[in-house]
Amino acid sequence: MEFFSEFFSYLGGTAPSIAAQGMIWGIMAIGVFITFRILDIADLTVDGSIVTGAAVCIVAFQSGMNIWVAILLATLAGMLCGLVTGLLHTALGIPPILAGILTQQSLWTVNLMLAGSSLSFTFFEQDQLLVVPLEERIGNTDLVLVGLVAVVIAVLYWFFGTELGASLRATGNNPNMSRAQGINTSFAKVLGLVISNGIVALSGALLVQYSNGYNINMGRGAIVIGLAAVVVGEAIVSKISSGFIPRLIGVILGGIIYFLVYQLVLFFDIEANLLKMLSAAIIAVFLGVPYLKKRYGKKKAKKEVKTNA
Amino acid sequence: MLEIKNVTKIFNGGTVNEKVALSDVSLTLEDGDFVTVIGGNGAGKSTILNMVAGVYPVDAGNIVIDGVDVTRLPEHKRAKYIGRVFQDPMMGTAADMWVEENLAIADRRGKRRGFSWAITKKDKAKYKELLKQLDLGLETRMTSKMGLLSGGQRQAITLLMATLKRPKLLLLDEHTAALDPKTAAKVLEITDRLVKENSLTALMVTHNMKDAIAYGNRLIMMNAGKVILDVKGEEKKNLTIEALLEMFTKASGAEFASDRALLS
Ligand SMILES: Nc1ncnc2c1ncn2[C@@H]1O[C@H](COP(=O)(O)OP(=O)(O)O)[C@@H](O)[C@H]1O
Ligand SMILES: [Mg+2]
């Protein structure tokens, strides 16, 4: 009994910060969703562009800019990262995974030159930040994040409902058909990568505030967290709705669940490094099971046909 | 309407796998020509359509559509002039998008895609009417994912998509080959109606000699990357399969290679 009360009070106490971190990484996962689910590209730029977002945000802020301006600049920087990957892929014909890795590698250097290996906000600066983990401001932080999540989802809903947005969806779905219908699929892919990495860098700009500082390693494994949030979120929501907004909300939920699991791991004193393998395993299971089901299902169907004949 | 001038296409040039798919082919289609294309496997039928559509660059020669030299234009820019239906029913539509979304994408072929809504109420009413005319009950499936439809339904919709914005040229590459005979006949009938209603200029590859004779006003036969036979007008109307086979043997100095064509 005592164990449970301790457990639940622990979870209750950390709920606002689980929500906050979940939403921050959930926004990043929405960026991953755009490339992975809409464009059908596994984009590894994100491990770098999330750090670039963080670096640009803190450097801009510490040079005296308003935090909103710093966040905006971070987002633009992320879009630029996406542009580089997009051009490496479409203009130079480099496979998208490799293009992402090349950009990610270069961003390591860029980030080091921008912000060194680590940077912290001072105690006084914290007052002007939007999202902070301090107990007395965590409620406010959650509200700000809910607002940002809503804006990101609303903008994407609008965009993918436009002619241009539809051309991106078609490109990811069937590039042959898209070209036959006059869609410049190279442009569509570049644009998708630009938008995706802009969102990823936005989440980096939020993360740097929440972590009270920047570290060159803060993006390591981001793609895995993003993909985990995407597949877990989809698994939850797909039973209820296939609409675009529910799917995006599912991705945010996926991010929150990820941090819930993370807190559990901490609570049970499990080696936190195990989490990386766990995330990878989750992705493998969630992507592999539907595939196997499909294959197994097909075989079964064939057998049935045979017995009928 | 279409001028193919001395087009040559060599795949894997300079390697042991070098393959001359088209060898100095010239062909001119008049406005309103509905040309059926036959020939054995590997004769270059798909390649000639792909050259016109810009899927691969030509190695030599020029392609002119309605007076515009499109030889250097990329595929998506040529799409402004061309409607296409492929052999594989999966290839012509986006499987995860709705029927009406697919049609809306096709309805904006050749137009700059901007920030207007991808599909409007007016569009939906128009598509519903067009789907009704297909007479396949598809007007009730406007918000079904394309991937849930049968091959025949998908080909019928792809045809609609190819002709929604009247193309200067319609390219059909064995678009009924993957369908069962009854569905194939239905899709062919829809093809013929759409071509006539919109007075389109069309190139239709088929493996079925009977269909090649029955449809269109002109028939060409290909062999080993060349056009070896071109029949039009009265002569085309009076063609028989036997006559066609005889012509093939005479023109190519070999028996017609495709058993498929004989059987069907
Ligand atoms: N993308 C390609 N790469 C290499 N060879 C090709 C390619 N496309 C077609 N070919 C070759 O070109 C020849 C003509 O092919 P195709 O036009 O597809 O014939 P068909 O008349 O059956 O449609 C064939 O020998 C084929 O193997
Ligand atoms: Mg072919």
Side-chain angles (χ1 to χ4, degrees), chain B residues 9-12 17-22 37-50 56 87 173-174 205 222 225 260:
Chain B
K9 179 67 193 175
I10 302 166
F11 286 110
N12 307 316
N17 293 321
E18 182 170 299
K19 172 80 207 173
V20 182
L22 290 178
V37 185
I38 55 173
N41 289 331
K45 307 181 296 293
S46 295
T47 305
I48 203 163
L49 262 55
N50 286 335
Y56 319 107
Q87 176 170 355
D173 190 357
E174 300 203 44
V205 177
M222 292 189 69
R260 246 181 351 150

PDB file of all heavy atoms in Angstrom, chain B residues 9-12 17-22 37-50 56 87 173-174 205 222 225 260, ligand 1:
ATOM      1  N   LYS B   9      16.344   5.794 -78.151  1.00  0.00           N
ATOM      2  CA  LYS B   9      16.543   5.612 -76.712  1.00  0.00           C
ATOM      3  C   LYS B   9      17.337   4.341 -76.479  1.00  0.00           C
ATOM      4  O   LYS B   9      16.955   3.254 -76.920  1.00  0.00           O
ATOM      5  CB  LYS B   9      15.211   5.515 -75.983  1.00  0.00           C
ATOM      6  CG  LYS B   9      15.353   5.306 -74.486  1.00  0.00           C
ATOM      7  CD  LYS B   9      15.961   6.532 -73.811  1.00  0.00           C
ATOM      8  CE  LYS B   9      16.404   6.254 -72.388  1.00  0.00           C
ATOM      9  NZ  LYS B   9      17.085   7.423 -71.795  1.00  0.00           N
ATOM     10  N   ILE B  10      18.469   4.501 -75.822  1.00  0.00           N
ATOM     11  CA  ILE B  10      19.323   3.347 -75.504  1.00  0.00           C
ATOM     12  C   ILE B  10      19.422   3.233 -73.986  1.00  0.00           C
ATOM     13  O   ILE B  10      19.822   4.191 -73.316  1.00  0.00           O
ATOM     14  CB  ILE B  10      20.727   3.517 -76.118  1.00  0.00           C
ATOM     15  CG1 ILE B  10      20.607   3.693 -77.633  1.00  0.00           C
ATOM     16  CG2 ILE B  10      21.617   2.328 -75.778  1.00  0.00           C
ATOM     17  CD1 ILE B  10      21.871   4.198 -78.303  1.00  0.00           C
ATOM     18  N   PHE B  11      19.018   2.089 -73.438  1.00  0.00           N
ATOM     19  CA  PHE B  11      19.170   1.870 -72.004  1.00  0.00           C
ATOM     20  C   PHE B  11      20.536   1.250 -71.727  1.00  0.00           C
ATOM     21  O   PHE B  11      21.023   0.428 -72.509  1.00  0.00           O
ATOM     22  CB  PHE B  11      18.069   0.940 -71.474  1.00  0.00           C
ATOM     23  CG  PHE B  11      16.724   1.622 -71.377  1.00  0.00           C
ATOM     24  CD1 PHE B  11      15.693   1.273 -72.250  1.00  0.00           C
ATOM     25  CD2 PHE B  11      16.482   2.606 -70.422  1.00  0.00           C
ATOM     26  CE1 PHE B  11      14.451   1.894 -72.162  1.00  0.00           C
ATOM     27  CE2 PHE B  11      15.251   3.226 -70.333  1.00  0.00           C
ATOM     28  CZ  PHE B  11      14.227   2.874 -71.211  1.00  0.00           C
ATOM     29  N   ASN B  12      21.145   1.627 -70.619  1.00  0.00           N
ATOM     30  CA  ASN B  12      22.430   1.084 -70.186  1.00  0.00           C
ATOM     31  C   ASN B  12      23.492   1.173 -71.290  1.00  0.00           C
ATOM     32  O   ASN B  12      24.236   0.216 -71.510  1.00  0.00           O
ATOM     33  CB  ASN B  12      22.289  -0.373 -69.744  1.00  0.00           C
ATOM     34  CG  ASN B  12      21.200  -0.545 -68.706  1.00  0.00           C
ATOM     35  OD1 ASN B  12      21.108   0.243 -67.768  1.00  0.00           O
ATOM     36  ND2 ASN B  12      20.346  -1.539 -68.894  1.00  0.00           N
ATOM     37  N   ASN B  17      24.844  -4.628 -70.947  1.00  0.00           N
ATOM     38  CA  ASN B  17      23.386  -4.685 -70.962  1.00  0.00           C
ATOM     39  C   ASN B  17      22.770  -3.668 -71.910  1.00  0.00           C
ATOM     40  O   ASN B  17      21.581  -3.385 -71.840  1.00  0.00           O
ATOM     41  CB  ASN B  17      22.828  -4.430 -69.561  1.00  0.00           C
ATOM     42  CG  ASN B  17      23.196  -5.558 -68.616  1.00  0.00           C
ATOM     43  OD1 ASN B  17      23.187  -6.716 -69.009  1.00  0.00           O
ATOM     44  ND2 ASN B  17      23.528  -5.207 -67.389  1.00  0.00           N
ATOM     45  N   GLU B  18      23.594  -3.091 -72.775  1.00  0.00           N
ATOM     46  CA  GLU B  18      23.076  -2.065 -73.681  1.00  0.00           C
ATOM     47  C   GLU B  18      21.866  -2.570 -74.448  1.00  0.00           C
ATOM     48  O   GLU B  18      21.852  -3.698 -74.958  1.00  0.00           O
ATOM     49  CB  GLU B  18      24.171  -1.645 -74.662  1.00  0.00           C
ATOM     50  CG  GLU B  18      23.711  -0.548 -75.592  1.00  0.00           C
ATOM     51  CD  GLU B  18      24.863   0.044 -76.397  1.00  0.00           C
ATOM     52  OE1 GLU B  18      25.799   0.582 -75.781  1.00  0.00           O
ATOM     53  OE2 GLU B  18      24.807  -0.045 -77.625  1.00  0.00           O
ATOM     54  N   LYS B  19      20.830  -1.730 -74.479  1.00  0.00           N
ATOM     55  CA  LYS B  19      19.590  -2.151 -75.123  1.00  0.00           C
ATOM     56  C   LYS B  19      19.026  -0.969 -75.897  1.00  0.00           C
ATOM     57  O   LYS B  19      18.703   0.070 -75.320  1.00  0.00           O
ATOM     58  CB  LYS B  19      18.599  -2.612 -74.049  1.00  0.00           C
ATOM     59  CG  LYS B  19      17.221  -2.904 -74.549  1.00  0.00           C
ATOM     60  CD  LYS B  19      17.124  -4.260 -75.203  1.00  0.00           C
ATOM     61  CE  LYS B  19      16.014  -4.250 -76.235  1.00  0.00           C
ATOM     62  NZ  LYS B  19      15.961  -5.483 -77.024  1.00  0.00           N
ATOM     63  N   VAL B  20      18.939  -1.121 -77.200  1.00  0.00           N
ATOM     64  CA  VAL B  20      18.334  -0.067 -78.002  1.00  0.00           C
ATOM     65  C   VAL B  20      16.824  -0.267 -77.962  1.00  0.00           C
ATOM     66  O   VAL B  20      16.286  -1.166 -78.602  1.00  0.00           O
ATOM     67  CB  VAL B  20      18.844  -0.126 -79.454  1.00  0.00           C
ATOM     68  CG1 VAL B  20      18.231   1.016 -80.267  1.00  0.00           C
ATOM     69  CG2 VAL B  20      20.367  -0.045 -79.480  1.00  0.00           C
ATOM     70  N   ALA B  21      16.134   0.547 -77.153  1.00  0.00           N
ATOM     71  CA  ALA B  21      14.694   0.376 -76.975  1.00  0.00           C
ATOM     72  C   ALA B  21      13.913   1.065 -78.088  1.00  0.00           C
ATOM     73  O   ALA B  21      12.861   0.595 -78.503  1.00  0.00           O
ATOM     74  CB  ALA B  21      14.258   0.909 -75.619  1.00  0.00           C
ATOM     75  N   LEU B  22      14.458   2.194 -78.563  1.00  0.00           N
ATOM     76  CA  LEU B  22      13.849   2.889 -79.700  1.00  0.00           C
ATOM     77  C   LEU B  22      14.966   3.273 -80.649  1.00  0.00           C
ATOM     78  O   LEU B  22      15.997   3.790 -80.227  1.00  0.00           O
ATOM     79  CB  LEU B  22      13.132   4.168 -79.242  1.00  0.00           C
ATOM     80  CG  LEU B  22      11.860   4.004 -78.425  1.00  0.00           C
ATOM     81  CD1 LEU B  22      11.330   5.382 -78.041  1.00  0.00           C
ATOM     82  CD2 LEU B  22      10.793   3.221 -79.179  1.00  0.00           C
ATOM     83  N   VAL B  37      -1.652   0.944 -80.510  1.00  0.00           N
ATOM     84  CA  VAL B  37      -0.275   0.500 -80.699  1.00  0.00           C
ATOM     85  C   VAL B  37      -0.163  -0.961 -80.297  1.00  0.00           C
ATOM     86  O   VAL B  37      -0.538  -1.324 -79.179  1.00  0.00           O
ATOM     87  CB  VAL B  37       0.706   1.329 -79.833  1.00  0.00           C
ATOM     88  CG1 VAL B  37       2.150   0.939 -80.127  1.00  0.00           C
ATOM     89  CG2 VAL B  37       0.491   2.819 -80.035  1.00  0.00           C
ATOM     90  N   ILE B  38       0.316  -1.797 -81.203  1.00  0.00           N
ATOM     91  CA  ILE B  38       0.550  -3.199 -80.848  1.00  0.00           C
ATOM     92  C   ILE B  38       1.991  -3.580 -81.163  1.00  0.00           C
ATOM     93  O   ILE B  38       2.707  -2.864 -81.869  1.00  0.00           O
ATOM     94  CB  ILE B  38      -0.419  -4.174 -81.564  1.00  0.00           C
ATOM     95  CG1 ILE B  38      -0.351  -3.967 -83.069  1.00  0.00           C
ATOM     96  CG2 ILE B  38      -1.827  -4.009 -81.058  1.00  0.00           C
ATOM     97  CD1 ILE B  38      -1.139  -5.002 -83.841  1.00  0.00           C
ATOM     98  N   GLY B  39       2.389  -4.730 -80.659  1.00  0.00           N
ATOM     99  CA  GLY B  39       3.757  -5.201 -80.868  1.00  0.00           C
ATOM    100  C   GLY B  39       4.117  -6.178 -79.771  1.00  0.00           C
ATOM    101  O   GLY B  39       3.507  -6.167 -78.705  1.00  0.00           O
ATOM    102  N   GLY B  40       5.099  -7.020 -80.046  1.00  0.00           N
ATOM    103  CA  GLY B  40       5.478  -8.044 -79.071  1.00  0.00           C
ATOM    104  C   GLY B  40       6.105  -7.455 -77.819  1.00  0.00           C
ATOM    105  O   GLY B  40       6.349  -6.247 -77.736  1.00  0.00           O
ATOM    106  N   ASN B  41       6.363  -8.308 -76.852  1.00  0.00           N
ATOM    107  CA  ASN B  41       7.014  -7.860 -75.620  1.00  0.00           C
ATOM    108  C   ASN B  41       8.387  -7.288 -75.932  1.00  0.00           C
ATOM    109  O   ASN B  41       9.150  -7.886 -76.677  1.00  0.00           O
ATOM    110  CB  ASN B  41       7.175  -9.030 -74.643  1.00  0.00           C
ATOM    111  CG  ASN B  41       5.837  -9.441 -74.064  1.00  0.00           C
ATOM    112  OD1 ASN B  41       4.941  -8.612 -73.932  1.00  0.00           O
ATOM    113  ND2 ASN B  41       5.707 -10.710 -73.734  1.00  0.00           N
ATOM    114  N   GLY B  42       8.686  -6.123 -75.317  1.00  0.00           N
ATOM    115  CA  GLY B  42       9.995  -5.519 -75.507  1.00  0.00           C
ATOM    116  C   GLY B  42      10.142  -4.791 -76.827  1.00  0.00           C
ATOM    117  O   GLY B  42      11.244  -4.395 -77.208  1.00  0.00           O
ATOM    118  N   ALA B  43       9.039  -4.576 -77.547  1.00  0.00           N
ATOM    119  CA  ALA B  43       9.115  -3.916 -78.851  1.00  0.00           C
ATOM    120  C   ALA B  43       9.419  -2.431 -78.721  1.00  0.00           C
ATOM    121  O   ALA B  43       9.860  -1.788 -79.678  1.00  0.00           O
ATOM    122  CB  ALA B  43       7.797  -4.111 -79.604  1.00  0.00           C
ATOM    123  N   GLY B  44       9.177  -1.868 -77.519  1.00  0.00           N
ATOM    124  CA  GLY B  44       9.429  -0.435 -77.329  1.00  0.00           C
ATOM    125  C   GLY B  44       8.163   0.397 -77.179  1.00  0.00           C
ATOM    126  O   GLY B  44       8.215   1.624 -77.204  1.00  0.00           O
ATOM    127  N   LYS B  45       7.026  -0.267 -76.985  1.00  0.00           N
ATOM    128  CA  LYS B  45       5.743   0.444 -76.877  1.00  0.00           C
ATOM    129  C   LYS B  45       5.711   1.345 -75.648  1.00  0.00           C
ATOM    130  O   LYS B  45       5.378   2.527 -75.737  1.00  0.00           O
ATOM    131  CB  LYS B  45       4.580  -0.565 -76.817  1.00  0.00           C
ATOM    132  CG  LYS B  45       4.574  -1.568 -77.956  1.00  0.00           C
ATOM    133  CD  LYS B  45       3.411  -2.523 -77.864  1.00  0.00           C
ATOM    134  CE  LYS B  45       3.400  -3.432 -76.643  1.00  0.00           C
ATOM    135  NZ  LYS B  45       4.485  -4.436 -76.579  1.00  0.00           N
ATOM    136  N   SER B  46       6.034   0.752 -74.493  1.00  0.00           N
ATOM    137  CA  SER B  46       6.031   1.568 -73.267  1.00  0.00           C
ATOM    138  C   SER B  46       7.077   2.671 -73.358  1.00  0.00           C
ATOM    139  O   SER B  46       6.841   3.801 -72.929  1.00  0.00           O
ATOM    140  CB  SER B  46       6.322   0.700 -72.049  1.00  0.00           C
ATOM    141  OG  SER B  46       5.287  -0.222 -71.852  1.00  0.00           O
ATOM    142  N   THR B  47       8.219   2.323 -73.925  1.00  0.00           N
ATOM    143  CA  THR B  47       9.300   3.305 -73.998  1.00  0.00           C
ATOM    144  C   THR B  47       8.874   4.525 -74.809  1.00  0.00           C
ATOM    145  O   THR B  47       9.153   5.659 -74.410  1.00  0.00           O
ATOM    146  CB  THR B  47      10.567   2.673 -74.610  1.00  0.00           C
ATOM    147  OG1 THR B  47      10.902   1.518 -73.847  1.00  0.00           O
ATOM    148  CG2 THR B  47      11.725   3.640 -74.586  1.00  0.00           C
ATOM    149  N   ILE B  48       8.166   4.304 -75.901  1.00  0.00           N
ATOM    150  CA  ILE B  48       7.807   5.467 -76.719  1.00  0.00           C
ATOM    151  C   ILE B  48       6.846   6.366 -75.945  1.00  0.00           C
ATOM    152  O   ILE B  48       6.959   7.603 -75.977  1.00  0.00           O
ATOM    153  CB  ILE B  48       7.250   5.037 -78.097  1.00  0.00           C
ATOM    154  CG1 ILE B  48       7.444   6.191 -79.079  1.00  0.00           C
ATOM    155  CG2 ILE B  48       5.794   4.649 -78.055  1.00  0.00           C
ATOM    156  CD1 ILE B  48       7.325   5.774 -80.512  1.00  0.00           C
ATOM    157  N   LEU B  49       5.926   5.761 -75.180  1.00  0.00           N
ATOM    158  CA  LEU B  49       5.029   6.568 -74.359  1.00  0.00           C
ATOM    159  C   LEU B  49       5.801   7.302 -73.255  1.00  0.00           C
ATOM    160  O   LEU B  49       5.546   8.473 -72.969  1.00  0.00           O
ATOM    161  CB  LEU B  49       3.934   5.679 -73.737  1.00  0.00           C
ATOM    162  CG  LEU B  49       2.587   5.665 -74.479  1.00  0.00           C
ATOM    163  CD1 LEU B  49       2.770   5.283 -75.935  1.00  0.00           C
ATOM    164  CD2 LEU B  49       1.593   4.741 -73.808  1.00  0.00           C
ATOM    165  N   ASN B  50       6.756   6.596 -72.658  1.00  0.00           N
ATOM    166  CA  ASN B  50       7.554   7.224 -71.606  1.00  0.00           C
ATOM    167  C   ASN B  50       8.412   8.373 -72.132  1.00  0.00           C
ATOM    168  O   ASN B  50       8.643   9.358 -71.434  1.00  0.00           O
ATOM    169  CB  ASN B  50       8.452   6.183 -70.926  1.00  0.00           C
ATOM    170  CG  ASN B  50       7.669   5.267 -70.011  1.00  0.00           C
ATOM    171  OD1 ASN B  50       6.596   5.643 -69.523  1.00  0.00           O
ATOM    172  ND2 ASN B  50       8.163   4.070 -69.791  1.00  0.00           N
ATOM    173  N   TYR B  56      11.939   9.425 -69.020  1.00  0.00           N
ATOM    174  CA  TYR B  56      13.395   9.433 -69.208  1.00  0.00           C
ATOM    175  C   TYR B  56      13.731  10.414 -70.324  1.00  0.00           C
ATOM    176  O   TYR B  56      12.907  10.654 -71.201  1.00  0.00           O
ATOM    177  CB  TYR B  56      13.927   8.054 -69.661  1.00  0.00           C
ATOM    178  CG  TYR B  56      13.333   6.873 -68.999  1.00  0.00           C
ATOM    179  CD1 TYR B  56      12.452   6.050 -69.681  1.00  0.00           C
ATOM    180  CD2 TYR B  56      13.681   6.542 -67.684  1.00  0.00           C
ATOM    181  CE1 TYR B  56      11.910   4.925 -69.071  1.00  0.00           C
ATOM    182  CE2 TYR B  56      13.142   5.421 -67.074  1.00  0.00           C
ATOM    183  CZ  TYR B  56      12.260   4.619 -67.771  1.00  0.00           C
ATOM    184  OH  TYR B  56      11.733   3.521 -67.182  1.00  0.00           O
ATOM    185  N   GLN B  87      -0.416   0.659 -66.918  1.00  0.00           N
ATOM    186  CA  GLN B  87      -0.843  -0.744 -66.871  1.00  0.00           C
ATOM    187  C   GLN B  87      -1.211  -1.155 -65.446  1.00  0.00           C
ATOM    188  O   GLN B  87      -2.212  -1.806 -65.217  1.00  0.00           O
ATOM    189  CB  GLN B  87       0.290  -1.630 -67.394  1.00  0.00           C
ATOM    190  CG  GLN B  87      -0.027  -3.111 -67.282  1.00  0.00           C
ATOM    191  CD  GLN B  87       0.987  -3.965 -68.029  1.00  0.00           C
ATOM    192  OE1 GLN B  87       1.881  -3.454 -68.708  1.00  0.00           O
ATOM    193  NE2 GLN B  87       0.845  -5.266 -67.912  1.00  0.00           N
ATOM    194  N   ASP B 173      -1.160   3.030 -71.527  1.00  0.00           N
ATOM    195  CA  ASP B 173      -0.203   1.936 -71.700  1.00  0.00           C
ATOM    196  C   ASP B 173      -0.781   0.630 -71.168  1.00  0.00           C
ATOM    197  O   ASP B 173      -0.681   0.357 -69.976  1.00  0.00           O
ATOM    198  CB  ASP B 173       1.115   2.275 -70.994  1.00  0.00           C
ATOM    199  CG  ASP B 173       2.216   1.280 -71.365  1.00  0.00           C
ATOM    200  OD1 ASP B 173       1.927   0.321 -72.117  1.00  0.00           O
ATOM    201  OD2 ASP B 173       3.359   1.467 -70.903  1.00  0.00           O
ATOM    202  N   GLU B 174      -1.365  -0.149 -72.048  1.00  0.00           N
ATOM    203  CA  GLU B 174      -1.978  -1.430 -71.650  1.00  0.00           C
ATOM    204  C   GLU B 174      -2.804  -1.258 -70.376  1.00  0.00           C
ATOM    205  O   GLU B 174      -2.684  -2.047 -69.436  1.00  0.00           O
ATOM    206  CB  GLU B 174      -0.897  -2.501 -71.422  1.00  0.00           C
ATOM    207  CG  GLU B 174      -0.071  -2.769 -72.677  1.00  0.00           C
ATOM    208  CD  GLU B 174       0.571  -4.146 -72.652  1.00  0.00           C
ATOM    209  OE1 GLU B 174      -0.119  -5.111 -72.285  1.00  0.00           O
ATOM    210  OE2 GLU B 174       1.768  -4.258 -73.013  1.00  0.00           O
ATOM    211  N   VAL B 205      -1.685   1.767 -76.147  1.00  0.00           N
ATOM    212  CA  VAL B 205      -0.997   0.488 -76.306  1.00  0.00           C
ATOM    213  C   VAL B 205      -1.927  -0.610 -75.827  1.00  0.00           C
ATOM    214  O   VAL B 205      -2.578  -0.472 -74.786  1.00  0.00           O
ATOM    215  CB  VAL B 205       0.297   0.450 -75.465  1.00  0.00           C
ATOM    216  CG1 VAL B 205       0.965  -0.916 -75.590  1.00  0.00           C
ATOM    217  CG2 VAL B 205       1.242   1.552 -75.895  1.00  0.00           C
ATOM    218  N   MET B 222       4.706  -2.063 -83.640  1.00  0.00           N
ATOM    219  CA  MET B 222       6.124  -1.856 -83.351  1.00  0.00           C
ATOM    220  C   MET B 222       6.843  -3.175 -83.238  1.00  0.00           C
ATOM    221  O   MET B 222       6.266  -4.192 -82.848  1.00  0.00           O
ATOM    222  CB  MET B 222       6.303  -1.068 -82.051  1.00  0.00           C
ATOM    223  CG  MET B 222       5.826   0.366 -82.160  1.00  0.00           C
ATOM    224  SD  MET B 222       6.286   1.327 -80.711  1.00  0.00           S
ATOM    225  CE  MET B 222       8.064   1.412 -80.910  1.00  0.00           C
ATOM    226  N   GLY B 225      12.039  -1.809 -81.490  1.00  0.00           N
ATOM    227  CA  GLY B 225      12.343  -0.389 -81.397  1.00  0.00           C
ATOM    228  C   GLY B 225      12.027   0.429 -82.630  1.00  0.00           C
ATOM    229  O   GLY B 225      12.512   1.539 -82.784  1.00  0.00           O
ATOM    230  N   ARG B 260       0.212 -14.138 -76.201  1.00  0.00           N
ATOM    231  CA  ARG B 260      -0.887 -13.453 -75.527  1.00  0.00           C
ATOM    232  C   ARG B 260      -1.819 -12.793 -76.535  1.00  0.00           C
ATOM    233  O   ARG B 260      -3.027 -12.895 -76.467  1.00  0.00           O
ATOM    234  CB  ARG B 260      -0.315 -12.366 -74.624  1.00  0.00           C
ATOM    235  CG  ARG B 260      -0.559 -12.662 -73.183  1.00  0.00           C
ATOM    236  CD  ARG B 260      -0.036 -11.589 -72.267  1.00  0.00           C
ATOM    237  NE  ARG B 260       0.786 -10.560 -72.833  1.00  0.00           N
ATOM    238  CZ  ARG B 260       0.831  -9.319 -72.335  1.00  0.00           C
ATOM    239  NH1 ARG B 260       0.084  -9.003 -71.323  1.00  0.00           N
ATOM    240  NH2 ARG B 260       1.619  -8.417 -72.857  1.00  0.00           N
TER     241      ARG B 260
HETATM  242  N1  LIG C   1      14.210   1.394 -67.469  1.00  0.00           N
HETATM  243  C1  LIG C   1      14.756   0.497 -68.290  1.00  0.00           C
HETATM  244  N2  LIG C   1      16.022   0.084 -68.111  1.00  0.00           N
HETATM  245  C2  LIG C   1      16.596  -0.807 -68.939  1.00  0.00           C
HETATM  246  N3  LIG C   1      15.979  -1.362 -69.989  1.00  0.00           N
HETATM  247  C3  LIG C   1      14.707  -0.992 -70.223  1.00  0.00           C
HETATM  248  C4  LIG C   1      14.032  -0.052 -69.395  1.00  0.00           C
HETATM  249  N4  LIG C   1      12.777   0.102 -69.872  1.00  0.00           N
HETATM  250  C5  LIG C   1      12.681  -0.703 -70.941  1.00  0.00           C
HETATM  251  N5  LIG C   1      13.832  -1.354 -71.167  1.00  0.00           N
HETATM  252  C6  LIG C   1      14.095  -2.298 -72.277  1.00  0.00           C
HETATM  253  O1  LIG C   1      13.729  -1.669 -73.482  1.00  0.00           O
HETATM  254  C7  LIG C   1      13.042  -2.566 -74.331  1.00  0.00           C
HETATM  255  C8  LIG C   1      11.664  -2.013 -74.654  1.00  0.00           C
HETATM  256  O2  LIG C   1      10.875  -2.063 -73.498  1.00  0.00           O
HETATM  257  P1  LIG C   1       9.362  -1.599 -73.451  1.00  0.00           P
HETATM  258  O3  LIG C   1       9.213  -0.307 -74.137  1.00  0.00           O
HETATM  259  O4  LIG C   1       8.949  -1.646 -72.020  1.00  0.00           O
HETATM  260  O5  LIG C   1       8.633  -2.746 -74.268  1.00  0.00           O
HETATM  261  P2  LIG C   1       7.090  -3.022 -74.491  1.00  0.00           P
HETATM  262  O6  LIG C   1       6.875  -2.882 -75.957  1.00  0.00           O
HETATM  263  O7  LIG C   1       6.858  -4.435 -74.049  1.00  0.00           O
HETATM  264  O8  LIG C   1       6.312  -2.039 -73.691  1.00  0.00           O
HETATM  265  C9  LIG C   1      12.995  -3.887 -73.586  1.00  0.00           C
HETATM  266  O9  LIG C   1      14.040  -4.688 -74.067  1.00  0.00           O
HETATM  267  C10 LIG C   1      13.228  -3.523 -72.159  1.00  0.00           C
HETATM  268  O10 LIG C   1      13.869  -4.555 -71.473  1.00  0.00           O
END
